[in-house]
Amino acid sequence: MNFLRIFIKRPVFTTMLVFVLVVFGLSALPRIGIDLMPDVEFPLVSVLVTWTGASPEEMESLVTKPIEDAVSSVAGIKTITSLSRPGVAQVTIEFVLGTDPRMAAADVREKVGGIRKKLPDEIDEPVTQRYDITASPVVYYSLASDKRPRGEIRKMATDIVKERLQQMDGVGEVAINGGSDREIQVQVDPRRLDSYNLTLDQVISAVNSANANTPGGYVKEHGYEMVVRTLGQFTSVEEVGTIAVATVNNKVVLLKDVATVNDDYEEERTYARTGGVPSVVVSVQKQSGTNTVAVSDAVKAEMLKITEELPADVKVTIVRDGSLY
């Protein structure tokens, strides 16, 4: 009641106090973070392993089961769920509430690293990451053209769009879907291979061993030390065809004698269309804890500059903007 009497008897003081509060509120308004999801960390950690060409049975027995056995000794585990598919194994570990996800991810990463030598050499390095509900794509772009193959558009998206957007503050990851990357295809002719009494393994071994730069040590001359290297990496498609596969009847069999080498694109495993037109989709994911609206506005401003640098026939369209909601 005393405070009410002061405010009633001193209207100028009351007005100035309210005015100060309004000024502070207006000055703080632009700095308030705006996001769709709350900043909550779930105690979930996943381990993803890829192995090209492996069957689900091989993934389960040689990859998934050893990882499950290794991470099961980590403290605070609630459940362990695994998924084995052709060429992919994913193990998801859920911890009890209250567990620090960062510490849990570090413990899981340490356990997986401890059994790395027991896993097949052919697998890609295991990827251990925490589940972050706020680190999600905020903007989706579509790149399409009626004059260029989608492989060429994907190369533009990778070399230009992705390279520029990933350098921006607040951007965590830029993913590209649709189209395919460039690939040097070696199509072996079984009849010609059989005529030289050769096997496919011999061809694969010859190609893998030829495409490499080999260190040769050092050479000292007149007080200078020079590095010696044997350059064996391919610089053209024609060079790939000159690989020596084997020697048959005192004749060197080259790769072009048993196979056809083409500069083409990979087989498409993902497909994207925008408005019925085949396209390449670029999704921009923000970093955890950043302002969705601020990141989206910055990305859209940068994308306008990138669009001006792309060929005129490449149409760039915003498919989804998570900041509008």
Side-chain angles (χ1 to χ4, degrees), residues 39-198:
D39 189 9
V40 179
E41 292 186 330
F42 291 95
L44 292 174
V45 179
S46 66
V47 181
L48 181 66
V49 181
T50 56
W51 183 6
T52 304
S55 65
E57 293 78 9
E58 291 174 324
M59 297 299 299
E60 181 181 13
S61 60
L62 300 179
V63 179
T64 305
K65 192 63 169 64
I67 292 178
E68 287 180 344
D69 295 340
V71 302
S72 61
S73 59
V74 178
I77 292 180
K78 183 178 180 181
T79 59
I80 297 179
T81 307
S82 62
L83 176 64
S84 298
R85 294 182 297 175
V88 179
Q90 183 174 15
V91 180
T92 304
I93 305 100
E94 179 184 2
F95 293 85
V96 296
L97 291 177
T99 304
D100 186 356
R102 291 179 175 82
M103 293 298 297
D107 292 340
V108 172
R109 191 176 294 108
E110 180 180 353
K111 294 295 183 181
V112 175
I115 64 165
R116 178 60 184 89
K117 293 183 178 180
K118 299 180 181 179
L119 300 177
D121 296 334
E122 296 82 3
I123 68 171
D124 297 325
E125 287 300 317
V127 178
T128 304
Q129 57 185 3
R130 297 178 291 110
Y131 174 72
D132 191 352
I133 191 174
T134 62
S136 57
V138 294
V139 185
Y140 290 84
Y141 281 97
S142 167
L143 281 71
S145 173
D146 54 358
K147 298 181 180 180
R148 301 172 187 267
R150 285 197 298 164
E152 186 176 343
I153 300 176
R154 182 183 177 93
K155 181 173 174 56
M156 291 183 187
T158 304
D159 296 343
I160 301 176
V161 179
K162 182 177 181 178
E163 186 72 21
R164 293 271 292 274
L165 295 182
Q166 279 189 332
Q167 300 176 5
M168 300 182 61
D169 293 336
V171 175
E173 183 181 359
V174 179
I176 300 176
N177 295 295
S180 55
D181 293 323
R182 181 191 179 192
E183 181 181 68
I184 306 300
Q185 299 178 353
V186 179
Q187 300 175 350
V188 180
D189 188 333
R191 294 183 179 86
R192 285 191 282 171
L193 196 67
D194 186 62
S195 66
Y196 289 106
N197 197 24
L198 298 176

